[in-house]
Amino acid sequence: MQKLHTILLIILASMATVSCSVISHQVRSEADPPVPFQTLIRDADKFLGHTVILGGYILETKNLESETILKVLQTPLRFGEDPDLKKRSQGRFMVYHKGFLDPEVYSKDQAITVAGRVIGTAVEKIGDEQILHLKIENREIYLWSNYTNKPLYHDPWPYPYHWGPYPYWYW
């Protein structure tokens, strides 16, 4: 009986993990297992043509004649495939999307999760630094609506505690 419960729990856990995905099952099945982002950038030639799933925050949206390029600040993905905090970023990547993406919708600081094929790297000069970006061709993109990078809890009474219009020491 204990063995049956264990097997049932494993099946339910695997179903819950798959159901939490914002990327379609078909694309997910073709994607490589998660690889550290620094490894993807360093060994981009080994991953050419491979499908990867990445997340982060849009830095810039640039529309060209037949495609849109999203420059993204990479962050690790959490359990629900939503991007983690910006301070956990390990670099940047660029998403090449055939067609038009509205820059008002895909605007700066919007959180996204992207599945795409690795097509190489690009170098960008930021200040005095040469920054290496991973380039991916978009297969599927998920835009997190009304996403904030704020803590879930907000203390309504910050220090010093106010109980009405006067500070507590006034009583």
Side-chain angles (χ1 to χ4, degrees):
M1 188 67 161
Q2 181 68 17
K3 193 174 189 178
L4 180 63
H5 286 296
T6 305
I7 292 171
L8 186 60
L9 185 62
I10 291 170
I11 291 170
L12 288 174
S14 65
M15 287 174 50
T17 303
V18 170
S19 66
C20 291
S21 177
V22 296
I23 301 297
S24 70
H25 179 67
Q26 177 187 354
V27 173
R28 173 163 292 295
S29 67
E30 297 170 13
D32 286 0
V35 176
F37 188 71
Q38 291 298 322
T39 303
L40 278 175
I41 290 178
R42 185 181 60 242
D43 301 330
D45 292 342
K46 292 180 184 177
F47 293 98
L48 284 177
H50 291 232
T51 299
V52 295
I53 299 174
L54 301 172
Y57 297 86
I58 297 173
L59 296 172
E60 181 183 348
T61 302
K62 183 188 232 179
N63 280 298
L64 303 175
E65 195 170 310
S66 62
E67 69 180 352
T68 301
I69 302 171
L70 299 175
K71 190 181 298 180
V72 181
L73 179 71
Q74 181 275 344
T75 64
L77 294 175
R78 295 189 270 206
F79 180 70
E81 291 186 339
D82 61 319
D84 205 343
L85 300 173
K86 288 181 180 181
K87 67 182 178 182
R88 299 206 49 219
S89 174
Q90 298 170 350
R92 298 175 178 209
F93 64 96
M94 297 168 75
V95 180
Y96 290 79
H97 174 81
K98 288 183 174 46
F100 177 79
L101 293 176
D102 192 329
E104 289 297 317
V105 176
Y106 292 85
S107 59
K108 184 170 174 45
D109 294 327
Q110 282 288 323
I112 61 169
T113 301
V114 181
R117 285 186 190 89
V118 176
I119 57 174
T121 57
V123 176
E124 178 185 22
K125 187 171 182 172
I126 301 175
D128 293 336
E129 295 291 320
Q130 297 283 342
I131 306 295
L132 192 61
H133 295 5
L134 184 69
K135 292 169 43 175
I136 64 172
E137 179 182 49
N138 180 33
R139 290 195 58 199
E140 203 169 302
I141 189 165
Y142 184 84
L143 182 69
W144 294 87
S145 61
N146 298 327
Y147 191 87
T148 61
N149 199 12
K150 297 178 183 172
L152 297 177
Y153 175 75
H154 172 70
D155 187 359
W157 293 291
Y159 183 83
Y161 300 103
H162 287 68
W163 307 102
Y166 307 104
Y168 72 94
W169 60 81
Y170 185 76
W171 298 57

